[in-house]
Amino acid sequence: MIRSNGARFITVEGVEGVGKTTNIRFITQCLHTAGVSYVLTREPGGTVVAESIRQLLLAKQDENLCELTELLLVFAARAQHIKRVIEPALANGKWVICDRFTDATYAYQGGGRGLSMNTIAQLENLVQGDLRPDVTYILDLPPAIGLKRANQRGELDRFEQEKLEFFDKVRAVYLERAAQEPERCIIIDAQAALATVQYNIGKHLKGLL
Ligand code: T5A
């Protein structure tokens, strides 16, 4: 969607350790250089309340989080994030760069946990109305490589402790979604050297400026 005030909603997705944080830093540097006013945010999180929900989602707990509870918490955080951060920023003409959004819900809760894609779509419509990202960069690599990178960073969160099979399903859903929406979803080979990854993101981003 091209907004009349020029604002764009860009999301970055991929399995654990794929390089989202690293490449989001690069995206914001490009925007800064181009003089674009932006808001950098993340999911789950992005507001005080939504960050509290993030802690609930990522922390390892004695009581297992039910799959449906996990899904509803993700969307509860998103509802707060959209109303408090994303919509106001877009309305003010700012670009929004978001580390993960609803594609992650399809990939993790739909693919990984096996919850119904239809249920996720219903919640998406309820919580987001017609808000959808304009562009989504899907950083893609074999999950084993991403997990190795994530492992090197220290203690693993609740999701990072899942088995490789879980992340294979997550990746498969990301790729399916990219195939369904090729205009919005740009697959970036994240196995390449960082300079190549950034060259490819930068080339696409320039087309948006
Ligand atoms: N979640 C989220 C859901 O289940 N449902 C949802 O709807 C949403 C929104 C959030 C968790 O929540 C789940 C998914 C997640 O499990 P998160 O913090 O967003 O967690 O996600 P993580 O994947 O855990 O983020 P990470 O910080 O682990 O990974 P990044 O940001 O992808 O990776 P990054 O940039 O820190 O890079 C990792 C390492 O690799 C190196 C970097 O220098 C760094 O050391 N690196 C490279 N090395 C070689 N070559 C390259 N090309 C490299 N790129 C980066």
Side-chain angles (χ1 to χ4, degrees):
M1 181 205 287
I2 306 284
R3 290 176 183 79
S4 55
N5 64 8
R8 301 261 190 180
F9 181 23
I10 297 182
T11 59
V12 182
E13 299 275 2
V15 294
E16 325 296 306
V18 79
K20 289 179 289 89
T21 310
T22 312
N23 287 297
I24 283 172
R25 219 175 295 133
F26 169 74
I27 291 172
T28 55
Q29 274 163 9
C30 293
L31 295 182
H32 180 74
T33 305
V36 171
S37 175
Y38 65 85
V39 167
L40 171 60
T41 187
R42 69 171 181 183
E43 288 216 346
T47 79
V48 173
V49 168
E51 288 289 332
S52 302
I53 298 174
R54 177 188 176 93
Q55 284 178 18
L56 267 179
L57 282 161
L58 298 194
K60 288 165 271 175
Q61 288 154 22
D62 293 339
E63 179 182 338
N64 268 348
L65 209 54
C66 303
E67 286 156 359
L68 188 56
T69 311
E70 182 178 286
L71 176 67
L72 293 171
L73 283 174
V74 163
F75 271 109
R78 184 163 297 139
Q80 187 73 8
H81 189 210
I82 288 170
K83 288 290 169 232
R84 291 280 176 263
V85 175
I86 299 177
E87 284 182 347
L90 292 172
N92 276 331
K94 291 186 176 156
W95 290 36
V96 173
I97 315 303
C98 191
D99 185 339
R100 297 193 187 278
F101 195 61
T102 308
D103 290 299
T105 314
Y106 283 100
Y108 283 77
Q109 281 65 50
R113 302 278 187 236
L115 289 171
S116 150
M117 297 293 184
N118 193 34
T119 303
I120 297 173
Q122 285 174 351
L123 288 168
E124 180 181 36
N125 288 332
L126 173 74
V127 169
Q128 296 172 217
D130 61 5
L131 178 74
R132 299 290 182 276
D134 302 312
V135 172
T136 299
Y137 294 111
I138 299 182
L139 303 181
D140 179 59
L141 52 59
I145 299 177
L147 287 173
K148 203 166 155 199
R149 288 183 191 166
N151 260 312
Q152 284 164 353
R153 263 189 332 215
E155 213 192 329
L156 300 179
D157 67 35
R158 201 172 60 83
F159 286 101
E160 289 166 347
Q161 291 186 324
E162 291 293 337
K163 297 202 170 71
L164 189 56
E165 193 187 313
F166 175 90
F167 296 104
D168 285 336
K169 291 187 214 155
V170 169
R171 182 193 191 191
V173 172
Y174 274 133
L175 295 178
E176 271 166 39
R177 291 182 67 72
Q180 284 160 7
E181 293 184 68
E183 298 234 324
R184 172 177 71 87
C185 298
I186 312 303
I187 295 184
I188 305 285
D189 175 10
Q191 230 178 315
L194 189 57
T196 309
V197 173
Q198 297 188 338
Y199 172 80
N200 289 328
I201 293 175
K203 199 166 65 170
H204 185 274
L205 195 60
K206 269 192 201 124
L208 303 178
L209 292 168

